[in-house]
């Protein structure tokens, strides 16, 4: 019987063949942390080990509240910088660089076949280039600092096959929301999800990143897209080390296969307060929107800016709507600037913010007021997610976000394409 | 591992990390007492003020879905919660709870049977939960991670493995200031 990509990558790290269900102890290829490194550093200190097991393992990116909105956050960042200096961590990116997962990809840390853990649940994102990326807790990261090691259960793998090519105006985010709605917020708990099919083969990197990023929203330990020429064209020029493409064998034992037909799919919207409360846009069109957030590690890459700029060109954002725009990284910011997209968005009335996590998790920049409706391209719509439990959060594609910002109500973006 | 006895606080499916410990506190709330005071804040504002040591958080499917933020496990532990009993747990929450030394019990039948406010008893060693409706058994933790849980969490377990002495009980750790 063949092996899945997850069994192969974890087996390589464990130094022996492994199968789903086993628990292995491994040293990851990279361990990513962000603003939470200050708290991790304290837990590391409590272990009683003086030096890091390997400073080269760690990648630290300040992004969650960057620049800091108040003194407490500022002190937090200071502690991270001191820790980085004290331990000689070279892979450090300060507040100017962008959202950690995007930076991990852009900077060539996330590569096919690698095992990457991150103290952030959306570390599944690295599967977009065929890595095994997974989220871990702060204590676990502290122990990796001390010993290099972590325990992981080798997951079973679910295959999600997107059949057909989606129609115009339907984007990878819509496909992913649709899949989460079908499979459920717990449907892939403890498992790896491998995305495949014609729609995925035709997707650019930005689209594949959406799939891997949101795999955790169906409970998955990791998401994965098999590397192909699109992947290699992306990773080759930026790779920081040698890598080897790892693929599931054709006879690999998949725990489940979900075939989803997307030929006639409508744009999709996740409604409050659960990511799997997904409806076609026609069912929620007309819902009032107070704030539109185009950003986060899920979307807001250059490809998304191109779509949003196309919809907003020469238009004005509805006077009752605030549109917040947060590029996924400084690189995306620069590219969008040079392409003229930022000018189009600013002229339409959008607020362009710096590349960081911003409104996504409600620590600063654009917290909705009580009773307000926030339409977001991010990955979570839990109650309180954007900092106010009395607000309603809907999730959608960047195109749906842009169209809705113009109308002031949730709008099918195909009216503008 | 002993007997846990406490009152049932009952909730539904998909209780996520944002309602257990809001994201806005993740980088600023570091003191264990303060962390406990925000436990379940966005789901049940009464909880943190009224929870008693040993009380059980009982919930439906996919408890702890969402963020990797382990304060969602630590805040319940600091609040004195004896155990979380759910129909199922999200993967990250399950890990974080074991690493925090917070008992997590997967027992769907027991969840159905328990009523909010009743007093129940959990025997971790025997894998039994006794409530008004009867006695329910639950499976033990995987043997590979049982040691972590028995040591009181990942940090004390790691210190033990490295041959370091246990931390003093009043250190505020092993849980790590800031979680």
């Amino acid at each position: 019987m063949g092996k899945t990509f997850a069994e192969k990558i974890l087996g390589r790290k464990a130094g022996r063949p492994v199968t789903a269900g086993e628990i292995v102890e491994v040293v990851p290829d990279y361990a990513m942390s962000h603003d939470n490194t200050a708290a991790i550093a304290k837990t590391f200190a409590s272990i009683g080990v003086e030096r890091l097991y390997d400073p080269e393992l760690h990648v630290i990116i300040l992004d969650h509240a960057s620049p800091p909105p108040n003194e407490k956050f500022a002190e937090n960042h200071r502690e991270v910088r001191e820790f980085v200096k004290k331990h000689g961590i070279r892979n450090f990116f300060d507040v100017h660089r962008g959202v950690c997962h995007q930076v991990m990809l852009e900077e060539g840390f996330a590569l096919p076949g690698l095992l990457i853990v991150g103290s952030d649940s959306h570390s599944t994102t690295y599967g977009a280039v065929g890595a095994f990326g997974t989220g871990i807790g702060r204590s676990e990261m502290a122990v990796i600092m001390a010993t290099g090691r972590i325990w992981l259960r080798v997951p079973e793998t679910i295959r999600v096959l997107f059949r057909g090519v989606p129609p115009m105006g339907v984007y990878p985010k819509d496909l992913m929301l649709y899949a989460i709605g079908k499979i459920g917020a717990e449907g892939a708990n403890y498992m790896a999800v491998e995305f495949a099919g014609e729609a995925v083969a035709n997707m650019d990197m930005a689209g594949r990143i959406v799939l891997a990023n949101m795999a955790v929203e169906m409970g998955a330990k990791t998401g994965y897209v098999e590397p192909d020429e699109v992947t290699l064209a992306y990773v080759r020029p930026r790779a920081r080390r040698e890598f080897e493409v790892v693929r599931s064998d054709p006879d690999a034992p998949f725990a489940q296969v979900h075939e989803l037909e997307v030929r006639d799919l409508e744009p999709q919207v996740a409604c409050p307060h659960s990511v799997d409360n997904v409806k076609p846009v026609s069912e929620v069109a007309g819902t009032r929107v107070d704030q539109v957030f185009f950003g986060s590690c899920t979307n807001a890459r250059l490809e998304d800016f191109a779509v949003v700029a196309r919809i907003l060109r020469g238009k004005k954002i509805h006077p009752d709507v605030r549109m917040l725009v947060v590029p996924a990284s400084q690189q995306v910011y620069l590219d969008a600037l040079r392409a003229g997209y930022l000018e189009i968005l600013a002229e339409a009335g959008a607020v362009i913010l710096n590349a960081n996590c911003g409104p996504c998790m409600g620590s600063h920049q654009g917290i909705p007021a009580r009773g307000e409706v926030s339409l977001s391209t991010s990955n979570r719509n839990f109650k309180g997610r954007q900092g106010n439990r009395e607000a309603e959060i809907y999730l959608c594609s960047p195109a749906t976000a842009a169209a809705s910002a113009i109308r002031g109500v949730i709008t099918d973006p195909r009216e503008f394409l | 591992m002993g007997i846990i006895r406490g009152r049932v606080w009952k909730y539904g499916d998909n209780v996520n990390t944002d309602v257990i410990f809001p994201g806005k506190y993740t980088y600023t709330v570091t003191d264990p007492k303060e962390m406990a005071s925000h436990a379940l804040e966005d789901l049940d504002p009464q909880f943190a003020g009224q929870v008693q040591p040993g009380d059980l958080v009982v919930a439906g499917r996919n408890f702890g879905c969402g963020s990797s933020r382990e304060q969602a496990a630590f805040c319940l532990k600091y609040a004195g919660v004896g155990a979380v009993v759910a129909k199922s747990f999200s993967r990250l929450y399950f890990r974080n709870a074991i690493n925090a030394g917070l008992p997590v019990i997967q027992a769907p039948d027991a969840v159905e049977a328990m009523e909010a406010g009743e007093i129940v008893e959990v025997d971790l060693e025997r894998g039994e939960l006794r409530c008004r409706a009867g006695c329910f058994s639950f499976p033990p933790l995987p043997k590979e991670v049982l040691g972590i849980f028995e040591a009181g969490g990942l940090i004390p377990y790691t210190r033990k493995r490295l041959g370091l002495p246990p931390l003093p009980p009043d250190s505020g750790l092993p849980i790590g200031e800031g979680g």
Side-chain angles (χ1 to χ4, degrees), chain A residues 352-364:
Chain A
I352 318 277
L353 298 159
N354 63 302
N356 81 121
C357 299
C360 180
M361 39 78 81
S363 59
H364 72 148

Side-chain angles (χ1 to χ4, degrees), chain A residues 23 25 34-36 39 42-43 46-49 64 72-73 76 119-121 134-140 143 147 150-153 185-186 189-190 216 219 221 274 361-363 380 382-385 387 389, chain B residues 14 16 18-19 23-24 26-28 41-43 61-62 65-71 74 88-92 94-96 99 142 144-145 148 154-155 158-159 161-162 164 167 173-179:
Chain A
I23 289 178
E25 199 176 60
H34 44 67
D35 302 36
N36 58 16
K42 290 189 185 112
T43 306
S46 77
I47 297 171
V49 173
H64 267 54
K72 275 196 163 181
F73 283 98
N76 185 74
S119 52
D120 186 282
S121 58
T134 194
I136 63 170
R138 293 178 179 185
S139 295
E140 299 182 304
V143 171
T147 69
I150 183 163
W151 67 270
L152 292 172
R153 181 180 172 280
E186 198 200 8
N189 205 2
Y190 303 111
V216 70
K221 182 177 199 135
S274 174
M361 39 78 81
S363 59
R380 284 196 182 129
F382 302 150
K383 199 183 261 278
R385 175 69 183 176
R389 69 190 294 270
Chain B
N14 299 313
N16 65 73
D18 284 277
V19 297
K24 59 189 168 193
T26 54
Y27 305 104
T28 53
E41 183 171 287
D42 279 347
L43 180 67
R61 301 198 63 80
N62 205 20
C65 58
S67 170
S68 65
R69 111 176 37 127
E70 67 184 18
Q71 299 96 306
F74 283 115
S88 64
F89 290 90
S90 103
R91 152 190 180 266
L92 264 163
F94 194 80
R95 287 183 76 91
N96 284 335
N99 291 333
E144 291 92 340
V145 299
I148 297 172
L154 184 63
I155 302 307
T158 303
R159 283 182 66 94
R161 264 180 113 181
L162 293 172
L164 297 163
L167 287 162
L173 303 164
I175 307 157
E177 189 195 331

Side-chain angles (χ1 to χ4, degrees), chain A residues 10 15 28 111:
Chain A
L10 291 177
L111 297 168

Side-chain angles (χ1 to χ4, degrees), chain B:
Chain B
M1 291 202 295
I3 308 275
I4 298 157
R5 194 163 187 280
R7 199 151 53 109
V8 168
W9 294 77
K10 198 162 177 185
Y11 306 106
D13 292 339
N14 299 313
V15 173
N16 65 73
T17 48
D18 284 277
V19 297
I20 304 172
F21 192 78
K24 59 189 168 193
Y25 304 130
T26 54
Y27 305 104
T28 53
V29 173
T30 55
D31 173 68
K33 270 201 195 117
E34 199 187 348
M35 211 182 274
S37 76
H38 294 297
L40 286 171
E41 183 171 287
D42 279 347
L43 180 67
D44 180 358
Q46 307 292 312
F47 177 83
Q50 294 177 10
V51 63
Q52 297 290 318
D55 281 2
L56 268 67
V57 170
V58 176
R61 301 198 63 80
N62 205 20
F63 186 87
C65 58
S67 170
S68 65
R69 111 176 37 127
E70 67 184 18
Q71 299 96 306
F74 283 115
C75 74
L76 295 186
K77 190 183 165 82
Y78 290 143
V81 168
V84 183
V85 189
K87 290 185 183 171
S88 64
F89 290 90
S90 103
R91 152 190 180 266
L92 264 163
Y93 197 89
F94 194 80
R95 287 183 76 91
N96 284 335
I98 290 166
N99 291 333
L102 173 71
V104 274
I105 295 164
Q106 194 163 328
D109 296 347
V111 169
E112 286 289 334
M114 281 184 280
E115 282 172 37
E118 72 165 301
I119 304 286
V120 301
E121 213 172 71
V122 177
D123 185 332
L124 286 178
E125 217 142 316
R126 296 167 69 114
E128 280 177 6
L129 186 151
R130 287 179 284 274
C131 61
R132 219 178 281 149
C135 182
F136 297 84
S137 58
F138 55 86
L141 290 174
K143 64 178 189 314
E144 291 92 340
V145 299
L146 194 61
I148 297 172
F149 180 73
E150 283 174 346
L154 184 63
I155 302 307
Y157 174 77
T158 303
R159 283 182 66 94
K160 207 164 117 186
R161 264 180 113 181
L162 293 172
L164 297 163
L167 287 162
D170 58 351
S171 65
L173 303 164
I175 307 157
E177 189 195 331

